[in-house]
Coordinates of all heavy atoms in Angstrom, one line a residue:
M1 N 124.9 100.3 88.5 CA 124.0 101.0 87.7 C 123.5 100.1 86.6 O 124.4 99.4 86.0 CB 124.7 102.3 87.1 CG 123.8 103.0 86.2 SD 124.5 104.4 85.3 CE 125.5 105.2 86.5
R2 N 122.2 100.1 86.3 CA 121.7 99.3 85.2 C 120.7 100.1 84.4 O 119.9 100.8 84.9 CB 121.0 98.0 85.8 CG 121.9 97.1 86.5 CD 121.1 96.0 87.2 NE 121.9 95.2 88.1 CZ 122.2 95.5 89.4 NH1 121.6 96.6 89.9 NH2 122.9 94.7 90.1
F3 N 120.8 99.9 83.1 CA 119.8 100.5 82.2 C 119.6 99.8 80.9 O 120.6 99.1 80.5 CB 120.2 102.0 82.0 CG 121.5 102.2 81.4 CD1 121.7 102.2 80.0 CD2 122.7 102.3 82.2 CE1 123.0 102.4 79.4 CE2 123.9 102.5 81.6 CZ 124.1 102.5 80.2
P4 N 118.4 99.8 80.3 CA 118.2 99.1 79.1 C 119.0 99.8 78.0 O 119.1 101.0 78.0 CB 116.7 99.1 78.9 CG 116.2 100.3 79.7 CD 117.2 100.4 80.8
D5 N 119.5 99.0 77.0 CA 120.2 99.6 75.9 C 119.7 99.0 74.6 O 120.2 98.0 74.1 CB 121.7 99.3 76.0 CG 122.5 100.0 74.9 OD1 121.9 100.6 74.0 OD2 123.7 100.0 74.9
P6 N 118.6 99.6 74.0 CA 118.0 99.0 72.8 C 119.0 99.0 71.6 O 118.9 98.1 70.7 CB 116.9 100.0 72.5 CG 116.6 100.7 73.8 CD 117.9 100.7 74.5
S7 N 120.0 99.8 71.6 CA 121.0 99.8 70.5 C 121.9 98.6 70.5 O 122.5 98.2 69.5 CB 121.9 101.1 70.6 OG 122.7 101.0 71.7
A8 N 121.9 97.9 71.7 CA 122.7 96.7 71.8 C 121.9 95.4 71.5 O 122.4 94.3 71.4 CB 123.3 96.5 73.2
G9 N 120.6 95.6 71.3 CA 119.7 94.5 71.0 C 118.5 94.5 71.9 O 118.5 95.1 73.0
A10 N 117.5 93.8 71.5 CA 116.2 93.7 72.2 C 116.5 92.9 73.5 O 117.2 91.9 73.6 CB 115.2 93.0 71.5
G11 N 116.1 93.5 74.7 CA 116.2 92.8 75.9 C 117.6 92.9 76.5 O 117.9 92.2 77.5
I12 N 118.5 93.7 76.0 CA 119.8 93.9 76.5 C 119.9 95.1 77.4 O 119.4 96.1 77.2 CB 120.9 94.1 75.3 CG1 120.8 92.9 74.3 CG2 122.3 94.2 75.9 CD1 121.2 91.6 74.9
W13 N 120.6 94.9 78.6 CA 120.8 95.9 79.5 C 122.3 96.1 79.7 O 123.1 95.2 79.6 CB 120.3 95.5 80.9 CG 118.8 95.5 81.0 CD1 117.9 94.7 80.3 CD2 118.0 96.4 81.8 NE1 116.6 95.1 80.6 CE2 116.6 96.1 81.6 CE3 118.3 97.4 82.7 CZ2 115.6 96.7 82.2 CZ3 117.3 98.0 83.3 CH2 115.9 97.7 83.1
R14 N 122.7 97.3 80.0 CA 124.1 97.6 80.4 C 124.1 97.7 81.9 O 123.2 98.2 82.5 CB 124.6 98.9 79.8 CG 124.7 98.8 78.3 CD 125.7 99.7 77.7 NE 125.8 99.5 76.3 CZ 126.7 98.8 75.6 NH1 127.6 98.2 76.3 NH2 126.7 98.7 74.3
S15 N 125.2 97.2 82.5 CA 125.3 97.2 83.9 C 126.8 97.5 84.3 O 127.7 97.0 83.6 CB 124.9 95.8 84.5 OG 125.1 95.7 85.9
T16 N 127.0 98.3 85.2 CA 128.3 98.7 85.7 C 128.4 98.3 87.2 O 127.5 98.8 88.0 CB 128.6 100.2 85.5 OG1 128.5 100.4 84.1 CG2 130.0 100.5 86.0
W17 N 129.3 97.6 87.6 CA 129.6 97.2 89.0 C 130.7 98.0 89.5 O 131.8 98.1 88.8 CB 129.8 95.7 89.1 CG 130.0 95.3 90.5 CD1 129.1 95.0 91.4 CD2 131.3 95.1 91.2 NE1 129.7 94.6 92.6 CE2 131.0 94.7 92.5 CE3 132.6 95.2 90.8 CZ2 132.0 94.4 93.4 CZ3 133.6 94.9 91.7 CH2 133.3 94.5 93.0
V18 N 130.6 98.5 90.7 CA 131.7 99.4 91.3 C 132.1 98.7 92.6 O 131.3 98.5 93.5 CB 131.2 100.8 91.5 CG1 132.3 101.6 92.2 CG2 130.7 101.4 90.3
G19 N 133.4 98.4 92.7 CA 133.9 97.8 93.9 C 134.9 98.8 94.6 O 136.0 98.9 94.2
P20 N 134.3 99.6 95.5 CA 135.2 100.7 96.0 C 136.4 100.3 96.9 O 137.4 101.0 96.9 CB 134.2 101.5 96.9 CG 133.1 100.6 97.2 CD 133.0 99.6 96.1
T21 N 136.3 99.1 97.5 CA 137.4 98.7 98.3 C 138.7 98.5 97.5 O 139.7 98.9 97.9 CB 137.0 97.4 99.0 OG1 135.8 97.6 99.8 CG2 138.1 96.9 100.0
R22 N 138.5 97.9 96.3 CA 139.7 97.6 95.5 C 139.8 98.6 94.4 O 140.6 98.5 93.5 CB 139.6 96.2 94.9 CG 139.7 95.2 96.0 CD 139.7 93.8 95.4 NE 139.8 92.8 96.4 CZ 139.6 91.5 96.2 NH1 139.2 91.1 95.1 NH2 139.7 90.7 97.2
R23 N 138.9 99.7 94.4 CA 138.9 100.7 93.4 C 138.8 100.1 92.0 O 139.6 100.4 91.1 CB 140.1 101.6 93.5 CG 140.0 102.4 94.7 CD 141.3 103.3 94.9 NE 141.8 102.9 96.2 CZ 143.1 102.9 96.4 NH1 144.0 103.2 95.5 NH2 143.5 102.5 97.6
W24 N 137.8 99.2 91.8 CA 137.6 98.5 90.6 C 136.2 98.6 90.0 O 135.3 98.6 90.8 CB 137.9 97.0 90.9 CG 138.0 96.1 89.8 CD1 138.9 96.0 88.8 CD2 137.0 95.0 89.5 NE1 138.6 95.0 87.9 CE2 137.5 94.4 88.3 CE3 135.9 94.6 90.1 CZ2 136.8 93.3 87.7 CZ3 135.2 93.6 89.5 CH2 135.7 92.9 88.4
T25 N 136.1 98.8 88.7 CA 134.8 98.8 88.1 C 134.8 97.8 87.0 O 135.8 97.5 86.4 CB 134.4 100.2 87.5 OG1 135.4 100.5 86.5 CG2 134.3 101.2 88.6
H26 N 133.6 97.3 86.7 CA 133.5 96.3 85.5 C 132.1 96.6 84.9 O 131.1 96.8 85.5 CB 133.6 94.9 86.0 CG 134.0 93.9 85.0 ND1 135.3 93.6 84.8 CD2 133.3 93.2 84.1 CE1 135.5 92.8 83.8 NE2 134.3 92.5 83.3
T27 N 132.2 96.6 83.5 CA 130.9 96.8 82.8 C 130.5 95.4 82.2 O 131.3 94.6 81.8 CB 131.1 97.8 81.7 OG1 132.1 97.4 80.8 CG2 131.4 99.2 82.3
F28 N 129.2 95.3 82.1 CA 128.6 94.0 81.6 C 127.5 94.4 80.6 O 126.9 95.4 80.6 CB 127.9 93.3 82.7 CG 128.8 92.8 83.8 CD1 129.0 93.6 84.9 CD2 129.4 91.5 83.7 CE1 129.8 93.2 85.9 CE2 130.2 91.1 84.8 CZ 130.4 91.9 85.9
L29 N 127.2 93.4 79.7 CA 125.9 93.4 78.9 C 125.1 92.3 79.5 O 125.6 91.1 79.6 CB 126.2 93.1 77.4 CG 126.8 94.2 76.6 CD1 127.1 93.8 75.2 CD2 125.9 95.5 76.7
A30 N 123.9 92.6 79.9 CA 123.0 91.6 80.6 C 121.9 91.2 79.7 O 121.3 92.1 79.0 CB 122.5 92.2 81.9
S31 N 121.5 89.9 79.8 CA 120.4 89.5 79.0 C 119.8 88.2 79.6 O 120.5 87.5 80.4 CB 120.7 89.2 77.5 OG 121.7 88.2 77.4
R32 N 118.6 87.9 79.2 CA 118.0 86.6 79.7 C 118.5 85.5 78.7 O 118.4 85.7 77.5 CB 116.5 86.7 79.6 CG 115.8 85.4 80.1 CD 114.3 85.6 80.1 NE 113.8 86.2 81.3 CZ 113.7 85.6 82.5 NH1 114.0 84.4 82.6 NH2 113.2 86.3 83.5
V33 N 118.9 84.4 79.3 CA 119.3 83.2 78.5 C 118.6 82.1 79.1 O 118.9 81.7 80.2 CB 120.9 83.0 78.5 CG1 121.2 81.8 77.8 CG2 121.6 84.2 78.0
A34 N 117.6 81.6 78.4 CA 116.7 80.6 78.9 C 116.1 81.1 80.2 O 115.5 82.1 80.2 CB 117.4 79.2 79.0
D35 N 116.3 80.4 81.3 CA 115.7 80.8 82.6 C 116.7 81.5 83.5 O 116.5 81.6 84.7 CB 115.1 79.5 83.3 CG 113.9 78.9 82.7 OD1 113.2 79.7 82.0 OD2 113.7 77.7 82.8
E36 N 117.8 82.0 82.9 CA 118.8 82.6 83.7 C 119.0 84.1 83.2 O 118.6 84.4 82.1 CB 120.2 81.9 83.5 CG 120.1 80.5 84.0 CD 121.4 79.8 83.8 OE1 122.2 80.1 82.8 OE2 121.7 78.9 84.6
I37 N 119.6 84.9 84.0 CA 120.0 86.2 83.6 C 121.5 86.2 83.7 O 122.1 85.9 84.7 CB 119.5 87.3 84.6 CG1 117.9 87.3 84.5 CG2 120.1 88.7 84.2 CD1 117.3 88.2 85.5
V38 N 122.1 86.5 82.5 CA 123.6 86.4 82.4 C 124.2 87.8 82.1 O 123.7 88.5 81.2 CB 124.0 85.5 81.2 CG1 125.5 85.4 81.1 CG2 123.4 84.1 81.5
L39 N 125.1 88.2 83.0 CA 125.8 89.4 82.8 C 127.2 89.1 82.2 O 128.0 88.4 82.9 CB 126.0 90.2 84.1 CG 124.7 90.9 84.6 CD1 123.8 89.9 85.2 CD2 125.1 92.0 85.6
N40 N 127.5 89.4 81.0 CA 128.7 89.1 80.3 C 129.6 90.3 80.3 O 129.2 91.3 79.7 CB 128.4 88.5 78.9 CG 129.7 87.9 78.3 OD1 130.8 88.3 78.6 ND2 129.4 87.0 77.4
G41 N 130.8 90.2 80.9 CA 131.7 91.3 80.9 C 133.0 90.9 80.1 O 134.1 91.5 80.4
G42 N 132.9 90.0 79.2 CA 134.1 89.6 78.4 C 134.9 88.6 79.1 O 134.9 87.4 78.8
D43 N 135.7 89.1 80.1 CA 136.5 88.2 80.9 C 135.9 87.7 82.2 O 136.5 86.9 83.0 CB 137.9 88.8 81.2 CG 137.8 90.1 82.0 OD1 136.7 90.7 82.0 OD2 138.8 90.6 82.5
L44 N 134.7 88.2 82.5 CA 134.0 87.9 83.7 C 132.5 87.7 83.4 O 132.0 88.5 82.6 CB 134.1 89.1 84.7 CG 133.6 89.0 86.1 CD1 134.4 87.9 86.8 CD2 133.8 90.3 86.9
R45 N 131.9 86.7 84.0 CA 130.5 86.4 83.7 C 129.8 86.1 85.0 O 130.3 85.3 85.9 CB 130.4 85.2 82.8 CG 129.1 84.7 82.5 CD 129.0 83.7 81.4 NE 129.6 82.4 81.8 CZ 129.9 81.4 81.1 NH1 129.6 81.5 79.8 NH2 130.4 80.3 81.5
W46 N 128.7 86.8 85.3 CA 127.9 86.6 86.4 C 126.5 86.0 85.9 O 125.9 86.6 85.0 CB 127.6 87.8 87.2 CG 128.8 88.4 87.9 CD1 130.1 87.9 88.0 CD2 128.9 89.7 88.5 NE1 130.9 88.7 88.6 CE2 130.2 89.8 89.0 CE3 128.0 90.7 88.7 CZ2 130.6 91.0 89.7 CZ3 128.4 91.8 89.4 CH2 129.7 92.0 89.9
T47 N 126.1 84.9 86.6 CA 124.8 84.3 86.2 C 123.9 84.1 87.3 O 124.3 83.7 88.4 CB 125.1 82.9 85.6 OG1 126.0 83.0 84.5 CG2 123.9 82.2 85.1
F48 N 122.7 84.6 87.2 CA 121.6 84.5 88.2 C 120.7 83.4 87.7 O 120.2 83.4 86.5 CB 120.8 85.8 88.3 CG 121.7 86.9 88.9 CD1 122.5 87.7 88.0 CD2 121.7 87.2 90.2 CE1 123.3 88.7 88.5 CE2 122.4 88.2 90.7 CZ 123.2 89.0 89.9
S49 N 120.5 82.3 88.5 CA 119.7 81.2 88.1 C 118.7 80.8 89.2 O 118.8 81.3 90.3 CB 120.6 80.0 87.7 OG 121.4 79.6 88.8
D50 N 117.8 79.8 88.9 CA 116.9 79.3 89.9 C 116.2 80.5 90.6 O 116.0 80.6 91.8 CB 117.5 78.5 91.0 CG 118.2 77.3 90.4 OD1 117.7 76.7 89.4 OD2 119.3 76.9 90.9
I51 N 115.7 81.5 89.8 CA 115.2 82.7 90.2 C 113.7 82.5 90.7 O 112.9 82.0 89.9 CB 115.2 83.8 89.2 CG1 116.7 84.0 88.7 CG2 114.6 85.1 89.6 CD1 116.9 84.9 87.5
G52 N 113.4 82.8 91.9 CA 112.1 82.7 92.4 C 111.7 84.0 93.1 O 112.4 85.0 93.0
S53 N 110.5 84.0 93.6 CA 110.0 85.2 94.2 C 110.8 85.7 95.5 O 110.8 86.8 95.8 CB 108.5 85.1 94.6 OG 108.3 84.1 95.5
D54 N 111.4 84.7 96.1 CA 112.2 85.1 97.3 C 113.6 84.4 97.4 O 114.2 84.3 98.5 CB 111.4 84.7 98.6 CG 111.0 83.3 98.7 OD1 111.3 82.5 97.7 OD2 110.4 82.9 99.7
E55 N 114.1 83.9 96.2 CA 115.4 83.3 96.3 C 116.0 83.3 94.9 O 115.3 83.4 93.9 CB 115.4 81.9 96.9 CG 114.6 80.9 96.1 CD 114.6 79.6 96.7 OE1 115.6 79.1 97.3 OE2 113.5 79.0 96.7
F56 N 117.3 83.1 94.8 CA 118.0 82.9 93.5 C 119.4 82.4 93.8 O 119.9 82.4 94.9 CB 118.1 84.2 92.7 CG 118.9 85.3 93.3 CD1 120.3 85.4 93.1 CD2 118.3 86.3 94.0 CE1 121.0 86.4 93.6 CE2 119.1 87.3 94.6 CZ 120.4 87.4 94.4
R57 N 120.1 81.9 92.8 CA 121.5 81.4 92.9 C 122.3 82.4 92.0 O 121.8 82.9 91.0 CB 121.7 80.0 92.4 CG 121.0 79.0 93.3 CD 121.3 77.6 92.8 NE 120.7 76.6 93.7 CZ 121.2 76.1 94.7 NH1 122.4 76.4 95.1 NH2 120.5 75.2 95.4
W58 N 123.5 82.6 92.4 CA 124.4 83.5 91.7 C 125.8 82.8 91.5 O 126.3 82.1 92.4 CB 124.6 84.8 92.4 CG 125.6 85.7 91.9 CD1 125.4 86.6 90.8 CD2 127.0 85.9 92.3 NE1 126.6 87.3 90.6 CE2 127.5 87.0 91.5 CE3 127.7 85.4 93.3 CZ2 128.8 87.4 91.7 CZ3 129.0 85.8 93.5 CH2 129.5 86.8 92.7
R59 N 126.4 82.9 90.3 CA 127.7 82.3 90.1 C 128.6 83.3 89.4 O 128.1 84.1 88.5 CB 127.5 81.0 89.4 CG 127.9 80.6 88.3 CD 127.5 79.2 87.8 NE 127.1 79.3 86.4 CZ 125.9 79.1 85.9 NH1 124.9 78.8 86.7 NH2 125.7 79.3 84.7
N60 N 129.8 83.4 89.8 CA 130.8 84.3 89.3 C 131.9 83.4 88.6 O 132.5 82.6 89.2 CB 131.4 85.1 90.4 CG 132.6 85.9 90.1 OD1 133.0 86.0 89.0 ND2 133.2 86.4 91.1
E61 N 132.1 83.7 87.3 CA 133.1 82.9 86.5 C 134.1 83.8 85.8 O 133.7 84.9 85.4 CB 132.4 82.0 85.5 CG 131.4 81.0 86.1 CD 130.6 80.4 85.1 OE1 129.7 81.1 84.5 OE2 130.8 79.2 84.7
A62 N 135.3 83.4 85.7 CA 136.3 84.2 85.0 C 136.8 83.4 83.8 O 137.0 82.1 83.9 CB 137.5 84.5 85.9
R63 N 137.0 84.0 82.7 CA 137.6 83.4 81.5 C 139.1 83.2 81.6 O 139.8 84.2 81.9 CB 137.2 84.2 80.2 CG 137.6 83.4 79.0 CD 137.4 84.2 77.7 NE 136.1 84.8 77.6 CZ 135.0 84.4 76.9 NH1 135.1 83.2 76.3 NH2 133.9 85.0 76.9
Q64 N 139.6 82.0 81.4 CA 141.0 81.8 81.5 C 141.6 82.1 80.2 O 140.9 82.2 79.1 CB 141.2 80.3 81.9 CG 140.6 79.9 83.2 CD 141.0 80.8 84.3 OE1 142.2 80.7 84.7 NE2 140.1 81.6 84.9
P65 N 142.9 82.2 80.1 CA 143.6 82.5 78.8 C 143.3 81.5 77.7 O 143.3 81.9 76.5 CB 145.1 82.4 79.2 CG 145.1 82.8 80.6 CD 143.9 82.2 81.2
D66 N 143.0 80.2 78.1 CA 142.6 79.2 77.0 C 141.1 79.3 76.6 O 140.7 78.5 75.8 CB 143.0 77.8 77.5 CG 142.2 77.4 78.7 OD1 141.4 78.2 79.3 OD2 142.5 76.3 79.2
G67 N 140.4 80.3 77.2 CA 139.0 80.5 76.8 C 138.0 79.7 77.7 O 136.8 79.9 77.6
V68 N 138.5 78.9 78.6 CA 137.6 78.1 79.5 C 137.2 79.0 80.6 O 138.0 79.7 81.2 CB 138.3 76.8 80.0 CG1 137.5 76.1 81.0 CG2 138.7 75.9 78.8
W69 N 135.9 78.8 81.0 CA 135.3 79.6 82.2 C 135.7 78.8 83.4 O 135.5 77.6 83.5 CB 133.8 79.8 82.0 CG 133.4 80.7 81.0 CD1 133.0 80.4 79.7 CD2 133.5 82.1 81.1 NE1 132.8 81.6 79.0 CE2 133.0 82.6 79.8 CE3 133.8 83.0 82.1 CZ2 132.9 84.0 79.5 CZ3 133.7 84.4 81.8 CH2 133.3 84.9 80.5
R70 N 136.2 79.5 84.4 CA 136.5 78.9 85.7 C 135.6 79.5 86.8 O 135.5 80.7 87.0 CB 138.0 79.2 86.1 CG 138.4 78.6 87.5 CD 139.8 78.9 87.8 NE 140.2 80.3 87.8 CZ 140.1 81.1 88.9 NH1 139.6 80.6 90.0 NH2 140.4 82.3 88.8
L71 N 134.9 78.6 87.5 CA 134.1 79.1 88.6 C 134.9 79.7 89.7 O 135.9 79.1 90.2 CB 133.3 77.9 89.1 CG 132.3 78.2 90.2 CD1 131.2 79.1 89.8 CD2 131.7 76.9 90.8
Q72 N 134.5 80.9 90.2 CA 135.3 81.6 91.2 C 134.4 81.6 92.5 O 135.0 81.6 93.6 CB 135.6 83.0 90.8 CG 136.5 83.1 89.7 CD 137.0 84.5 89.4 OE1 138.2 84.7 89.5 NE2 136.1 85.5 89.2
Q73 N 133.1 81.8 92.4 CA 132.3 82.0 93.6 C 130.9 81.6 93.2 O 130.4 81.8 92.1 CB 132.4 83.4 93.9 CG 131.8 83.9 95.2 CD 132.1 85.4 95.5 OE1 132.3 86.1 94.5 NE2 132.0 85.8 96.7
T74 N 130.1 81.1 94.2 CA 128.7 80.9 94.1 C 128.0 81.3 95.4 O 128.6 81.4 96.5 CB 128.3 79.4 93.9 OG1 128.8 78.6 95.0 CG2 129.0 78.9 92.6
C75 N 126.8 81.7 95.2 CA 125.9 82.1 96.4 C 124.5 81.6 96.2 O 124.0 81.6 95.0 CB 125.9 83.6 96.6 SG 127.4 84.4 97.0
Q76 N 123.9 81.3 97.2 CA 122.4 81.1 97.2 C 121.8 82.1 98.1 O 122.3 82.3 99.3 CB 122.0 79.7 97.7 CG 120.5 79.5 97.6 CD 120.1 78.1 98.0 OE1 120.9 77.2 98.3 NE2 118.8 77.9 97.8
V77 N 120.9 82.9 97.6 CA 120.4 84.1 98.2 C 118.9 83.9 98.4 O 118.2 83.4 97.5 CB 120.7 85.3 97.4 CG1 120.1 86.6 98.1 CG2 122.1 85.5 97.1
W78 N 118.4 84.2 99.6 CA 117.0 84.1 99.9 C 116.6 85.3 100.8 O 117.3 85.8 101.5 CB 116.6 82.8 100.5 CG 117.2 82.5 101.8 CD1 116.7 82.8 103.0 CD2 118.5 81.9 102.1 NE1 117.5 82.4 104.0 CE2 118.7 81.9 103.5 CE3 119.5 81.5 101.2 CZ2 119.8 81.4 104.0 CZ3 120.6 81.0 101.8 CH2 120.8 80.9 103.2
R79 N 115.3 85.6 100.6 CA 114.7 86.7 101.4 C 114.2 86.1 102.7 O 113.5 85.1 102.7 CB 113.6 87.4 100.6 CG 113.0 88.5 101.4 CD 111.8 89.1 100.6 NE 112.0 89.0 99.2 CZ 111.6 89.9 98.3 NH1 111.1 91.0 98.7 NH2 111.8 89.8 97.0
R80 N 114.5 86.8 103.8 CA 114.0 86.3 105.1 C 112.8 87.2 105.5 O 112.9 88.4 105.5 CB 115.1 86.4 106.1 CG 115.0 85.4 107.2 CD 116.3 85.3 107.9 NE 116.2 85.9 109.2 CZ 117.1 85.9 110.1 NH1 118.3 85.4 109.8 NH2 116.9 86.4 111.2
S81 N 111.8 86.6 105.9 CA 110.6 87.4 106.4 C 110.8 87.9 107.8 O 111.4 87.3 108.6 CB 109.3 86.6 106.3 OG 109.2 86.1 105.0

């Protein structure tokens, strides 16, 4: 679920991801950062980059106890005609 949240700031969206298999949900604040869309969930960050009309890249990072972001997963996604 995604919706704009003007009370969080201009251009900020709230997003909730639901993972039914593991019975897990995570909430994010989403915004445009330069040419990327970043969903920041505190300890989890999803970034959409290289966004085109029929493709994008996605990266999933987790914040470690020392504050450093660790890459967990990446995907390149494209639309097939």
Side-chain angles (χ1 to χ4, degrees):
M1 177 185 322
R2 295 172 188 89
F3 56 92
D5 185 356
S7 69
I12 304 295
W13 286 66
R14 294 211 179 258
S15 177
T16 300
W17 181 81
V18 178
T21 303
R22 295 185 180 165
R23 292 179 237 144
W24 186 70
T25 61
H26 204 89
T27 59
F28 298 90
L29 286 177
S31 64
R32 179 178 280 282
V33 177
D35 291 335
E36 299 178 328
I37 297 173
V38 179
L39 285 78
N40 189 331
D43 60 343
L44 187 63
R45 179 170 68 187
W46 293 352
T47 304
F48 295 84
S49 60
D50 301 325
I51 302 167
S53 60
D54 60 356
E55 66 182 319
F56 64 88
R57 291 184 184 270
W58 174 80
R59 118 181 137 251
N60 170 10
E61 299 169 287
R63 188 186 310 263
Q64 302 305 292
D66 62 3
V68 173
W69 290 100
R70 179 179 57 88
L71 181 65
Q72 297 189 119
Q73 187 177 24
T74 62
C75 294
Q76 182 173 3
V77 181
W78 62 94
R79 182 186 325 222
R80 210 165 107 176
S81 301

